[in-house]
Amino acid sequence: MVNAKTFLEKRYNGDMELEDAVHTAILTLKEGFEGQMTEQSIDVGIISTIPSAQAGESTPAFSCLSPAEIKDYLSNIA
């Protein structure tokens, strides 16, 4: 079995849209996941940036996908 790091390195690139990056991350998790992967058994966090009041600066922001959003991604993978 290909380890998760190698799996992710082969599929991820910095120019991906968020949707594609989340899809790739879930596929990577699935590679090493034992049992059934459901919206209740995984969490997906997203780190983004929010533009700051000062020009050219931004602030990092963290959010988690809801179970319903995760379920939508999982249904596209099956």
Side-chain angles (χ1 to χ4, degrees), residues 26 29-39 41-42 74:
I26 291 174
L29 280 174
K30 192 172 182 173
E31 275 297 300
F33 201 85
E34 293 187 23
Q36 174 128 11
M37 186 181 289
T38 70
E39 68 275 12
S41 63
I42 65 169
L74 290 173

Side-chain angles (χ1 to χ4, degrees), residues 10-30:
K10 287 181 179 180
R11 286 160 181 79
Y12 178 80
N13 81 56
D15 295 330
M16 287 180 136
E17 294 291 325
L18 179 60
E19 296 279 321
D20 294 331
V22 171
H23 182 81
T24 300
I26 291 174
L27 283 174
T28 304
L29 280 174
K30 192 172 182 173

